[in-house]
Amino acid sequence: MRRGVLLLLLLPVVLGAAERSAPPWAAANRRLGQDLYREHCVVCHDIDKSEKNKKPGPSFYHLFQNGKLPITGAKPSREYITVKVKFGGQIMPPFIKKMTDAEIAALVSYMETK
């Protein structure tokens, strides 16, 4: 009887922890995004906080947390960043032929964590 009561009391705690934990593929997806950033983006964009950005592109540091994009001032969204990565900008090259949709999604997910 006591064991059953204890299990009933712990059930919400266990279920709550399971809901908060990331799915097993999230870490692999984050690593993929980080690898893609290092391969394609690091030349022009910072992603970690630094004193002064000396790269030609805007910094990705806290891009989604800041509430507005560094150049346009628009609210950042996954869709907007995805389009920019795919089709480029004034000086940014397009990556639609260099990365798959899944890779671009992993890159954007990685950017969201920084």
Side-chain angles (χ1 to χ4, degrees), residues 62-69 73-76:
H62 280 192
L63 181 65
F64 286 92
Q65 292 84 358
N66 285 335
K68 62 181 181 177
L69 296 167
K75 184 175 184 197

Side-chain angles (χ1 to χ4, degrees), residues 2-76:
R2 282 183 150 180
R3 184 176 281 176
V5 172
L6 182 60
L7 286 174
L8 286 175
L9 291 173
L10 289 176
L11 188 60
V13 174
V14 171
L15 291 176
E19 289 175 10
R20 285 189 305 267
S21 65
W25 60 85
N29 194 43
R30 218 174 8 260
R31 279 191 300 276
L32 173 61
Q34 182 180 37
D35 290 344
L36 290 165
Y37 165 78
R38 288 178 178 164
E39 182 179 344
H40 298 289
C41 309
V42 74
V43 173
C44 296
H45 299 276
D46 284 324
I47 200 156
D48 293 319
K49 188 175 182 179
S50 63
E51 293 300 317
K52 189 173 180 185
N53 182 14
K54 296 180 182 179
K55 297 188 177 183
S59 174
F60 293 156
Y61 180 72
H62 280 192
L63 181 65
F64 286 92
Q65 292 84 358
N66 285 335
K68 62 181 181 177
L69 296 167
I71 293 177
T72 66
K75 184 175 184 197

